Amino acid sequence: MRTRDQKARIHFTEEELRDLDRKAAAAGLDRSKYVRKVVLAAEVKPGPQVDVPALIAVTHQAGLRVADVLVRANSGMLDVPALRRALAEVEGATQTVRRAFEEGNADAMHD
């Protein structure tokens, strides 16, 4: 009786499948054995836990600051220092989001 009775369906492009077959042949394995060997030997690290609601809150607050400055500017009272502070807050929020996702991508690329 066959011990491997479960199937997993994987889709490849023609080029990916040719590459897979080439690597399997170089390893002296058939396609199934090669895929099992590679997949089961892979060590995957979990990605960082990004607090998406916190990132949304940071960007939302920065946007509110800019909107507030623009409302005042439309009434004829442009507060340039407030605008600069609001834009700095937007830049800070952007950097926070960028760092969160770059850290996640860096961890994933090391696998």
Side-chain angles (χ1 to χ4, degrees), residues 13-102:
T13 64
E14 283 184 43
E15 184 179 329
E16 290 169 336
L17 196 55
R18 279 193 305 270
D19 189 44
L20 173 64
D21 288 337
R22 180 184 55 75
K23 290 177 180 179
L29 301 170
D30 65 35
R31 189 187 291 167
S32 293
K33 287 178 184 174
Y34 180 79
V35 169
R36 274 195 305 277
K37 183 174 181 71
V38 171
V39 170
L40 296 176
E43 186 176 326
V44 179
K45 298 176 189 172
Q49 298 302 311
V50 177
D51 187 352
V52 174
L55 294 176
I56 291 169
V58 165
T59 55
H60 179 70
Q61 286 298 326
L64 289 176
R65 302 279 185 272
V66 172
D68 184 50
V69 170
L70 292 175
V71 166
R72 283 190 249 147
N74 280 338
S75 68
M77 298 172 30
L78 179 58
D79 184 351
V80 175
L83 179 57
R84 285 191 179 124
R85 285 190 303 273
L87 291 175
E89 192 171 331
V90 168
E91 178 60 25
T94 301
Q95 292 301 323
T96 298
V97 172
R98 183 175 289 125
R99 274 192 309 275
F101 286 96
E102 284 175 351

